[in-house]
Amino acid sequence: MLFSLGQYSVQPFLQYYNRDVMRQADAGTSTSIMLACIIVGSIVSALIGGRISDRVGRKPVIYVAGAAMAAAALLLLVAPSYPVALGLALFFGLGFGAFTSVDWALGSDAMPSASSYARDMGIWHVAFVAPQMTSAPQGALLDWGNARGDNFGYTLVFGIAALFFIAGVLLVRKVPDNAHRTQQVAA
């Protein structure tokens, strides 16, 4: 849920970020290009992340992916230009794709009982989609912060996103990585 909170803290406001911070004349097109960079990075790392997690375990991949997403969120605040922001979007996508390829696998591995698997996966899914409803409070925070200083609202919202990603990484440490243990026993 924390990773989704991080994502949905920023995603709804990328167009405004491109307009207000990156000073893009056509913020809609600029945002579409930025999202395309995220998608390209995600596809590449999703293909690679799953294979790496099969070798080293799920959690190390999630640690690196979460750190990359947090770093990208913070670095977007100081990106000196739109091309640099696009590079950071690609970098974020690399983290997001690796995370996405591994998080469901880790969740599946960690399910406590086969008898409650469907219910538990349903709850897992809700944790990923429910954070979409945070747009209104995050938007209010963005407006409040921007009223207090030039783009201060973006600093708050992107900073909170980074905190969500880092908190997600820290909490994943407590999730058992059963697939890696199974592989080690089999080897």
Side-chain angles (χ1 to χ4, degrees):
M1 184 164 138
L2 290 167
F3 287 98
S4 290
L5 281 168
Q7 175 190 351
Y8 292 117
S9 292
V10 173
Q11 183 180 338
F13 310 111
L14 279 178
Q15 185 168 343
Y16 305 114
Y17 165 83
N18 276 304
R19 181 192 69 202
D20 300 340
V21 178
M22 290 288 105
R23 306 283 186 218
Q24 295 296 297
D26 185 352
T29 300
S30 299
T31 302
S32 294
I33 294 168
M34 184 175 275
L35 291 172
C37 289
I38 292 171
I39 290 167
V40 168
S42 295
I43 291 168
V44 169
S45 65
L47 296 171
I48 296 168
R51 288 189 172 153
I52 292 172
S53 78
D54 289 340
R55 285 190 212 119
V56 302
R58 315 276 190 230
K59 293 194 304 186
V61 174
I62 289 178
Y63 298 154
V64 171
M69 291 186 293
L74 292 175
L75 291 172
L76 279 169
L77 292 170
V78 296
S81 66
Y82 180 68
V84 172
L86 290 179
L88 290 169
L90 182 68
F91 182 65
F92 178 89
L94 290 170
F96 184 74
F99 170 78
T100 303
S101 72
V102 176
D103 69 321
W104 281 90
L106 178 61
S108 296
D109 294 344
M111 287 297 137
S113 167
S115 65
S116 63
Y117 188 80
R119 181 203 66 203
D120 294 340
M121 289 304 287
I123 292 168
W124 181 273
H125 179 69
V126 168
F128 280 99
V129 297
Q132 293 179 55
M133 296 186 293
T134 64
S135 294
Q138 291 284 29
L141 180 63
L142 180 72
D143 288 343
W144 179 86
N146 283 344
R148 272 136 191 83
D150 191 33
N151 297 324
F152 179 60
Y154 292 102
T155 300
L156 292 173
V157 170
F158 283 49
I160 287 170
L163 290 174
F164 283 138
F165 293 134
I166 295 302
V169 165
L170 294 174
L171 288 177
V172 163
R173 290 186 0 225
K174 297 183 180 284
V175 176
D177 194 350
N178 295 333
H180 191 234
R181 267 190 239 120
T182 303
Q183 288 174 355
Q184 287 176 336
V185 170

